[in-house]
């Protein structure tokens, strides 16, 4: 499945001159203009993951609010990308509830398909039925709807219509209201996108967006979710207006958060951070839910461009994922935090672009059964 998508991507690349600017055009702007266009209020709802100062400030605000509510331990759940393999992660969440061992997380983060799971995981077990419907109910099978010859004049292979419809079905004003209530308690729901203009991971505080309330907040919330799941070339990027610079509207181009970060439990600006002398680390646990497989797998690669590209892409993604896990695990060890990880079993049939209902139901059940049996999580010893 992945090879066929890459083959189509090659076709799109080779025929791009035919499309000209028919996809969409953008005005040029400088990095300085983008910075000046960002309103001060935006600092409350987003920050660049590589900005250590912004990440520390966000962490301190969150810790103070949690401490004032009497909670002295921080449990973090980070849900990775993985496309259709997100059915496994969704199943793990439901099975975790059934096992009666699922924590209430102070921080939940999501990237790509993990961004679509994260709001349900954040809100807790009473949303499990809806999460099951979203990933095992068959609706996701429509997501990869081809555009026919329209692909020659588009910025992507597939129409965003069905992905947007899926997000709009489940991301409602009721969901935002509940997220805003949990945000007020100090809990945080974070979603990562990739800003293609700046080549940086942007972390969005979805609870802060929900707290704003009204149609504009709901629209931005949905746009961020769609952007985080927008695999470049497969789905079109999402253009997010950020503000005005010198009388010109500045818009950012956002795509799949997995382009720069397979998951976010600790923003990269904090990878090498240590608590200041005299300040004790807040006790905590980091759970990383990987919607995919970590270990390299052997396969004889055929000598065709799509096969080679597909294998190369898979290799790069796994290598990047393992590097992020190593960095996050080292952070947890330095700061006396427990670190656990769940992944799709090596012998399971899976495929990030296999959105067929029977495949997703099978993966969902595998995740659910594994969690119920208490075998989903390990410390990778």
């Amino acid at each position: 499945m992945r090879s066929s998508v890459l083959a189509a991507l090659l076709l799109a690349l080779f025929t791009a001159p035919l499309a000209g600017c028919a996809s969409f055009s953008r005005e040029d702007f400088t990095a300085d203009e983008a910075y000046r266009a960002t309103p001060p209020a935006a600092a409350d709802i987003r920050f660049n993951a590589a900005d250590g100062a912004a990440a520390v400030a966000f962490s301190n605000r969150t810790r103070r609010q949690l401490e004032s509510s009497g909670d002295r331990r921080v449990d973090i759940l980070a849900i990775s990308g993985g496309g259709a393999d997100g059915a496994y992660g969704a199943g793990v969440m439901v099975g975790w509830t059934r096992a009666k061992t699922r924590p209430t997380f102070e921080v939940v983060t999501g990237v790509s398909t993990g961004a679509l799971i994260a709001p349900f995981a954040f809100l807790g077990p009473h949303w499990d039925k809806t999460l099951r419907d979203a990933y095992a109910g068959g609706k996701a099978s429509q997501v990869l709807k081809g555009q026919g010859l329209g692909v020659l004049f588009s910025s992507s292979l597939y129409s965003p219509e069905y992905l947007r419809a899926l997000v709009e079905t489940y991301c409602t004003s009721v969901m935002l209201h509940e997220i805003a209530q949990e945000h007020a308690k100090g809990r945080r729901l974070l979603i990562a996108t990739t800003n293609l203009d700046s080549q940086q991971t942007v972390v969005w505080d979805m609870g802060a967006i929900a707290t704003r309330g009204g149609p504009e907040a709901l629209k931005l919330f949905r746009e961020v979710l769609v952007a985080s799941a927008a695999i470049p070339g497969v789905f079109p990027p999402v253009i997010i207006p950020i503000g005005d610079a010198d009388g010109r509207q500045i818009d950012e181009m956002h795509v799949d958060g997995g382009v720069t970060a397979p998951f976010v439990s600790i923003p990269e600006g904090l990878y090498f951070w240590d608590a200041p002398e005299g300040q004790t680390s807040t006790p905590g646990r980091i759970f990383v839910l990987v919607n995919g497989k970590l270990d390299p797998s052997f396969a004889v690669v055929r000598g065709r461009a799509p096969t080679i590209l597909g294998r190369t892409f898979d290799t790069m993604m796994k290598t990047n994922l393992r590097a992020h896990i190593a960095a996050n695990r080292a952070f947890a060890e330095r700061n006396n935090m427990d670190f656990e990880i769940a992944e799709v079993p090596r012998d399971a049939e899976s495929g990030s672009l296999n959105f067929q209902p029977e495949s997703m139901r099978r993966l969902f059940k595998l995740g659910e059964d594994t969690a119920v049996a208490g075998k989903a999580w390990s410390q990778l010893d």
Side-chain angles (χ1 to χ4, degrees):
M1 181 72 172
R2 180 175 285 163
S3 294
S4 64
V5 170
L6 284 167
L9 278 171
L10 282 172
L11 172 65
L13 287 172
F14 287 132
T15 56
L18 297 175
C21 60
S23 50
F24 59 83
S25 60
R26 303 176 68 204
E27 290 188 14
D28 288 337
F29 57 87
T30 66
D32 178 66
E33 287 175 322
Y35 176 79
R36 288 189 289 110
T38 306
D44 293 335
I45 63 171
R46 54 176 270 182
F47 62 89
N48 290 334
D51 186 340
V56 168
F58 173 83
S59 299
N60 287 339
R61 288 197 305 271
T62 301
R63 187 180 71 249
R64 285 194 298 269
Q65 190 161 359
L66 288 171
E67 288 176 349
S68 68
S69 66
D71 194 333
R72 296 293 301 172
R73 187 180 71 181
V74 175
D75 285 330
I76 300 171
L77 173 65
I79 312 174
S80 85
D85 287 349
Y88 179 81
V92 167
M93 295 307 303
V94 173
W96 212 354
T97 299
R98 289 183 55 200
K100 302 186 186 329
T101 55
R102 176 174 167 179
T104 297
F105 295 99
E106 279 70 34
V107 179
V108 176
T109 75
V111 172
S112 196
T113 193
L116 306 182
I117 299 171
F120 301 104
F122 179 76
L123 289 175
H126 68 288
W127 281 79
D128 281 358
K129 182 178 179 180
T130 310
L131 177 59
R132 182 190 295 274
D133 183 65
Y135 274 86
K139 294 183 177 63
S141 63
Q142 294 284 332
V143 168
L144 295 185
K145 189 74 172 180
Q147 303 195 74
L149 289 177
V151 70
L152 301 180
F153 308 97
S154 175
S155 59
S156 65
L157 294 176
Y158 298 101
S159 168
E161 175 185 352
Y162 298 94
L163 175 59
R164 286 186 175 277
L166 195 65
V167 169
E168 289 172 4
T169 296
Y170 295 104
C171 177
T172 63
S173 57
V174 173
M175 173 181 276
L176 254 67
H177 177 69
E178 289 197 25
I179 289 173
Q181 288 182 316
E182 294 305 310
H183 180 83
K185 300 174 185 176
R187 300 179 63 223
R188 295 294 178 260
L189 171 62
L190 308 177
I191 300 299
T193 64
T194 297
N195 180 344
L196 274 188
D197 297 318
S198 66
Q199 295 185 317
Q200 291 186 323
T201 305
V202 176
V203 178
W204 299 81
D205 187 337
M206 306 300 277
I209 294 174
T211 299
R212 291 183 171 187
E216 288 303 312
L218 180 60
K219 178 182 178 182
L220 178 58
F221 194 102
R222 288 170 169 172
E223 289 290 279
V224 172
L225 292 184
V226 172
S228 187
I231 305 169
V234 177
F235 297 113
V238 173
I239 302 300
I240 299 180
I242 58 169
D244 181 274
D246 303 327
R248 291 195 305 132
Q249 175 66 45
I250 304 297
D251 301 327
E252 294 176 339
M253 179 182 284
H254 288 258
V255 297
D256 188 344
V259 170
T260 48
F263 64 89
V264 176
S265 62
I266 303 299
E268 62 184 278
L270 295 181
Y271 277 177
F272 304 105
W273 179 86
D274 289 304
E277 188 174 348
Q279 177 181 317
T280 58
S281 299
T282 302
R285 297 181 293 180
I286 296 175
F287 296 86
V288 179
L289 179 51
V290 177
N291 292 303
K293 302 176 183 180
L294 285 173
D295 292 336
S297 59
F298 180 81
V300 176
V301 181
R302 304 303 176 189
R304 297 183 298 114
T307 306
I308 294 169
L309 282 171
R311 186 66 172 175
T312 301
F313 175 77
D314 186 61
T315 301
M316 287 191 302
M317 294 301 289
K318 282 184 176 179
T319 302
N320 187 32
L321 178 58
R322 290 195 297 272
H324 273 74
I325 287 173
N328 281 262
R329 188 175 184 179
F331 176 93
E333 289 176 352
R334 288 198 319 272
N335 292 278
N336 300 313
M337 300 179 75
D338 294 333
F339 187 86
E340 297 194 38
I341 192 163
E343 61 173 313
V344 176
R346 187 169 186 172
D347 58 354
E349 287 186 34
S350 63
S352 61
L353 293 173
N354 185 359
F355 286 91
Q356 293 303 310
E358 60 273 16
S359 175
M360 295 188 71
R361 289 191 190 103
R362 184 175 61 250
L363 267 180
F364 186 98
K365 186 176 188 306
L366 177 61
E368 184 176 8
D369 291 347
T370 304
V372 168
K375 298 179 179 179
W377 297 95
S378 73
Q379 296 181 341
L380 292 180
D381 291 330

